């Protein structure tokens, strides 16, 4: 791989042994045809199965394949970020390992790029093999984030896309650690276009995004692109204060008018409980932002590369 490749394909991998051979077969068929000068950058995100062995064997056999291995699991977004940072191509395609993003769409992405687009997103027209509850939650999240922030995100665009070298350079300059890559790609701008495709179910294996990771991703997306939760809490605070002032006024007036103050502890109890709830929510939301600030201030690297097949060809 002497000269710079035209296309880099970045594949985050976490325990995907069951799909890797099929992925490799389909990827190389497609790439041989549409972009002979390419490299494939597999980022092994601390897999505990056979994935690293399969990848290293592949990179030994094929100089176009590069394998970065993380020292542990750092998460999908960190793996995508590492892939983009290490890719050399004039164009970079980010694709999931599980074949939910069909490699056969890559030629369409390339065609758009060659026609002058700098970001080409693959838009899912159909999503097969995902639970209705999961899809409903994902839809609600995107509704929320669209209302609350200025970045235009839709539920039908994931991380499957092509970005131009210039976009990659811009992304690499962004210092933040809690990465929500699809939001950042929107944020950096450049000329966008879209290609539609059918999203298949997973080829094999289980999703590596349990609800806990999905919620974490949603929180990252929300807090890095919107301060609306903080503002909402402030408004709520004002509203509750106004309400309690109103109650005081009501009590005074009824006392002066009839001599009989509203009796009973129920109202007091409800008010106290309500206020406590509001305050806890407010503290929680503040905490979410403070945590992010704390993460950024610590300045720890986003990921740690344990080995790179390009630098030391046979790490075992
Ligand atoms: N992945 C990763 N690190 C993780 C979780 C997932 O690199 O901690 C990879 C995974 O191997 C796959 C992609 O990210 O290539 C998307 O994950 P998955 O298909 O499990 O998510 P889903 O499609 O179910 O949302
Ligand atoms: Mg998947």
């Amino acid at each position: 791989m002497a000269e710079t490749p035209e296309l880099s394909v970045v594949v985050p991998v976490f325990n995907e042994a069951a799909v890797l051979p099929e992925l490799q077969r389909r990827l190389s068929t497609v790439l041989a045809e549409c972009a002979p000068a390419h490299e494939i950058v597999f980022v092994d995100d601390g897999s505990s199965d056979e994935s690293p062995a399969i990848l290293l064997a592949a990179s030994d056999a094929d100089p176009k394949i590069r394998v970065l291995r993380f020292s542990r699991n750092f998460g999908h977004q960190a793996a995508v970020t590492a892939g983009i940072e290490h890719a050399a191509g004039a164009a970079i395609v980010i694709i999931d390992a599980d074949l939910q993003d069909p490699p056969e769409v890559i030629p369409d992405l390339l065609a758009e790029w060659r026609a002058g687009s700098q970001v080409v997103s693959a838009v899912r027209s159909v999503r097969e093999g995902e639970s209705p509850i999961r899809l409903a939650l994902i839809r609600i999240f995107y509704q929320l984030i669209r209302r609350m922030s200025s970045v235009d995100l839709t539920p039908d665009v994931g991380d499957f896309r092509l970005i131009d070298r210039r976009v990659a350079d811009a992304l690499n300059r962004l210092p933040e650690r809690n990465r929500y890559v699809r939001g950042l790609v929107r944020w950096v701008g450049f000329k966008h276009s879209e290609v539609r495709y059918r999203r298949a179910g997973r080829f094999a294996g289980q999703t590596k995004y349990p609800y806990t990771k999905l919620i974490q991703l949603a929180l990252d997306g929300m807090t890095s692109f919107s301060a609306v939760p903080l503002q909402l809490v402030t408004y709520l605070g004002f509203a509750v204060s106004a309400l309690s002032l109103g109650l005081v006024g009501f009590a005074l007036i009824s006392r002066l008018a009839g001599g009989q103050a509203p009796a009973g502890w129920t109202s007091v109890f409800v008010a106290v409980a309500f206020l406590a709830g509001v305050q806890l929510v407010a503290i929680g939301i503040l905490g979410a932002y403070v945590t992010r600030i704390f993460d950024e201030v610590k300045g720890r690297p986003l990921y740690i590369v344990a080995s790179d097949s390009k630098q030391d060809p046979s790490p075992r």
Side-chain angles (χ1 to χ4, degrees):
M1 206 177 9
E3 65 277 12
T4 50
E6 183 190 28
L7 176 67
S8 298
V9 179
V10 168
V11 193
V13 175
F14 181 52
N15 293 339
E16 302 282 8
V19 294
L20 285 177
E22 175 72 5
L23 170 74
Q24 240 171 285
R25 196 184 59 74
R26 279 171 60 181
L27 253 188
S28 51
T29 312
V30 168
L31 292 180
E33 196 135 301
C34 71
H38 66 260
E39 65 169 353
I40 307 178
V41 182
F42 287 103
V43 183
D44 171 48
D45 187 11
S47 299
S48 53
D49 67 352
E50 294 301 299
S51 302
I54 297 174
L55 293 176
L56 289 174
S59 80
D60 283 347
D62 182 351
K64 286 182 156 57
I65 295 180
R66 179 171 180 184
V67 181
L68 294 175
R69 288 184 65 190
F70 282 180
S71 57
R72 63 169 171 84
N73 180 248
F74 281 91
H76 178 212
Q77 302 292 306
V80 169
T81 304
I84 296 174
E85 285 179 356
H86 289 79
I92 300 170
V93 165
I94 299 135
I95 188 169
D96 280 357
D98 61 359
L99 291 168
Q100 281 193 291
D101 307 335
E104 290 72 24
V105 177
I106 294 178
D108 301 342
L109 299 178
L110 270 175
E112 284 288 317
W113 174 66
R114 288 183 179 131
S117 291
Q118 290 164 306
V119 177
V120 190
S121 301
V123 182
R124 310 150 183 157
S125 46
V126 185
R127 282 174 96 143
E128 292 162 3
E130 286 182 80
S131 88
I133 298 176
R134 193 180 170 91
L135 288 184
L137 285 177
I138 290 174
R139 195 135 285 147
I140 291 172
F141 162 71
Y142 279 105
Q143 282 286 342
L144 274 175
I145 199 165
R146 268 174 99 168
R147 298 227 166 147
M148 292 182 351
S149 72
S150 52
V151 285
D152 182 24
L153 295 167
T154 68
D156 299 320
V157 183
D159 285 324
F160 184 24
R161 63 166 55 78
L162 178 147
I163 57 176
D164 183 76
R165 178 82 257 151
R166 264 173 250 203
V167 180
D169 290 344
L171 284 176
N172 293 345
R173 276 202 304 274
L174 299 180
E176 60 213 90
R177 260 146 266 278
N178 289 292
R179 291 233 158 198
Y180 185 62
V181 176
R182 67 199 70 164
L184 296 177
V185 168
R186 278 281 162 183
W187 184 88
V188 295
F190 293 97
K191 189 164 179 279
H192 279 244
S193 66
E194 294 178 346
V195 164
R196 305 196 81 84
Y197 76 104
R198 287 178 71 88
R199 184 161 175 89
R202 235 176 194 279
F203 178 74
Q206 291 273 315
T207 176
K208 308 298 181 299
Y209 259 103
Y211 282 109
T212 46
K213 272 191 187 174
L214 209 56
I215 290 170
Q216 190 55 50
L217 182 70
L219 278 180
D220 270 350
M222 206 80 95
T223 47
S224 35
F225 288 97
S226 172
V228 171
L230 284 175
Q231 289 159 5
L232 280 182
V233 166
T234 314
Y235 295 146
L236 197 62
F238 279 129
V240 171
S241 312
L243 188 73
S244 47
L245 273 183
L247 282 177
V248 169
F250 172 70
L252 276 179
I253 290 170
S254 56
R255 169 95 199 167
L256 292 178
Q260 184 68 51
W265 58 273
T266 315
S267 52
V268 177
F269 184 75
V270 167
V272 168
F274 178 61
L275 278 176
V278 168
Q279 283 169 0
L280 283 179
V281 170
I283 292 172
I285 293 178
L286 262 182
Y289 284 90
V290 173
T291 309
R292 294 180 55 80
I293 297 172
F294 184 47
D295 276 349
E296 303 293 335
V297 168
K298 275 187 291 190
R300 288 192 191 143
L302 188 61
Y303 55 85
I304 295 169
V305 175
S307 73
D308 177 353
S309 67
K310 198 176 173 190
Q311 250 104 62
D312 74 302
S314 282
R316 295 292 156 170

